[in-house]
Amino acid sequence: MSFYAKIKDQVTGLTKQFEYQNDGTAFGHFILKECFSKIIDFEYDGTDNDSFIKDHIVDMSNDLGNDAILTNQKNREISVFQFKYSNGQLLNTNEIKKNKKFIDWILNINQEQLIPNPKLRKLIDGEISPILTTQNLNNNKYNIIFYYIDNNFDGSIKTDIKALYTNYSDRGINFQIKFYNYEELEELYDDIEIPKNNVFLKIIKNEYFIKELNYYDENLTPVKTIVTSIVANSLKPIIEEKKELILALNVRYYKGENDINSKIKKEYSKGKKSNFWILNNGINAVCEDFEVDGERLSIINFQIVNGGQTTKTLTRIVNDLYLMKFRF
């Protein structure tokens, strides 16, 4: 059964329950609640999660290309979502242009006055503006993440979308673009299973040891563990490709540019004079199997369970420095 067919009745139920204009809008509500709430910290600690999500769904007339916007004030992070609900592929660059035009406006790049709907206006005034202050904009103390969700992303659509944001890179704007197809959403939805993957890391020759132990439970299970130093930039493409799915079993969310992560960033950025390997506790991960071949560490079904803060921080700044501890 396809993911679309699996969730169709639930989405239709949300349309009726919350009086959404159509199932496409309700799909956004469903995915925020059942998938992204597991991997993104929306800073909500209340009991009525549905009402919280509905307050951040802006998909209606004058939504300016946005389906939902959520923020994390502590991290100064703005998450912009565009959802497509169908058996096929619907996302197109014309819609992305509308979405980008809105972001240009709130970043003061585009001076044209736009007219948002009341829900979007409320989010701009109450949640977005406190992040995009003049001081934060000048000091790059903010981050905008675009989440584009569609059944699939065939053809050049990803490349075309990334090309639309080229001027953001040129201007030094802090932004990320993340794509999720229905297969990845299903992995988040059915979170009993660990997302499957087969990845490779580059390790430092002769800087590792392997220990075999027995895990005592109802049955005696042999467990093999490796402790090693890895080349940090070999981890970066894994994080960029697998996104939050590689952290599905992590013990806590990424906390953004807080004091600890700022120190991680500062120490690592010292280059060859860095004390990063000595001061940082490294990354702990689990997997189903691994194999070492020279400087290549092959891993099956890799999951980072502790060290998400280090991982996400380094992904943003990493270069060729290889001072990272790793254990799983």
Side-chain angles (χ1 to χ4, degrees), residues 75-78 141-145 174-176 316:
N75 295 348
R76 297 182 291 272
E77 194 163 82
I78 301 168
K141 294 293 186 179
Y142 67 92
N143 191 41
I144 300 172
I145 306 176
N174 294 331
F175 78 102
Q176 299 174 62
R316 299 186 179 192

Side-chain angles (χ1 to χ4, degrees), residues 81-321:
F81 293 86
Q82 193 168 118
F83 302 96
K84 294 302 175 189
Y85 181 54
S86 75
N87 272 318
Q89 178 178 315
L90 293 178
L91 198 62
N92 62 73
T93 55
N94 287 331
E95 293 181 317
I96 308 304
K97 288 177 181 177
K98 288 173 57 181
N99 178 228
K100 183 177 181 295
K101 186 177 181 180
F102 165 74
I103 301 299
D104 286 349
W105 179 51
I106 62 175
L107 289 173
N108 298 320
I109 296 173
N110 174 20
Q111 300 303 318
E112 178 185 352
Q113 287 301 306
L114 304 181
I115 303 176
N117 64 49
K119 289 185 74 175
L120 182 53
R121 178 81 265 175
K122 184 178 179 180
L123 291 178
I124 293 171
D125 294 341
E127 299 189 32
I128 296 175
S129 293
I131 294 175
L132 298 180
T133 63
T134 300
Q135 182 179 5
N136 286 344
L137 287 170
N138 291 339
N139 295 324
N140 283 331
K141 294 293 186 179
Y142 67 92
N143 191 41
I144 300 172
I145 306 176
F146 300 96
Y147 291 89
Y148 294 119
I149 293 92
D150 204 345
N151 193 335
N152 53 62
F153 296 95
D154 293 334
S156 64
I157 185 66
K158 285 186 178 181
T159 302
D160 294 341
I161 290 174
K162 290 177 181 178
L164 291 174
Y165 290 95
T166 301
N167 70 320
Y168 279 13
S169 298
D170 296 339
R171 289 172 174 264
I173 291 171
N174 294 331
F175 78 102
Q176 299 174 62
I177 303 173
K178 300 188 179 184
F179 301 93
Y180 279 87
N181 59 34
Y182 283 11
E183 183 179 341
E184 291 171 315
L185 293 177
E186 188 167 15
E187 288 181 331
L188 286 174
Y189 179 61
D190 296 332
D191 61 349
I192 295 175
E193 277 194 38
I194 297 174
K196 305 299 182 184
N197 59 61
N198 193 341
V199 301
F200 308 95
L201 290 169
K202 185 176 181 180
I203 67 174
I204 308 306
K205 190 175 182 179
N206 299 324
E207 286 195 23
Y208 73 90
F209 72 86
I210 296 174
K211 188 175 182 65
E212 295 187 12
L213 300 166
N214 289 321
Y215 180 76
Y216 298 93
D217 200 353
E218 294 180 359
N219 299 308
L220 190 67
T221 305
V223 176
K224 186 169 64 171
T225 300
I226 182 171
V227 178
T228 184
S229 298
I230 71 168
V231 176
N233 68 350
S234 71
L235 181 63
K236 182 171 183 175
I238 296 174
I239 303 302
E240 291 178 340
E241 178 187 354
K242 305 300 181 182
K243 303 181 284 289
E244 285 83 358
L245 292 173
I246 209 72
L247 299 167
L249 299 183
N250 197 58
V251 295
R252 62 177 183 267
Y253 292 111
Y254 172 59
K255 300 300 181 182
E257 190 74 11
N258 58 22
D259 290 342
I260 297 299
N261 291 329
S262 293
K263 290 178 181 177
I264 291 174
K265 181 177 179 180
K266 181 179 179 180
E267 188 61 42
Y268 182 85
S269 298
K270 291 178 182 179
K272 292 183 178 180
K273 294 184 178 180
S274 170
N275 293 312
F276 182 84
W277 199 96
I278 297 171
L279 297 175
N280 189 272
N281 288 329
I283 294 171
N284 293 338
V286 295
C287 67
E288 291 189 8
D289 197 10
F290 68 83
E291 182 178 335
V292 177
D293 183 7
E295 296 180 354
R296 180 184 174 94
L297 175 62
S298 305
I299 313 170
I300 297 176
N301 297 334
F302 171 61
Q303 273 288 306
I304 294 173
V305 296
N306 198 3
Q309 312 300 305
T310 297
T311 301
K312 297 287 277 187
T313 299
L314 293 185
T315 297
R316 299 186 179 192
I317 64 169
V318 72
N319 49 40
D320 292 327
L321 190 64

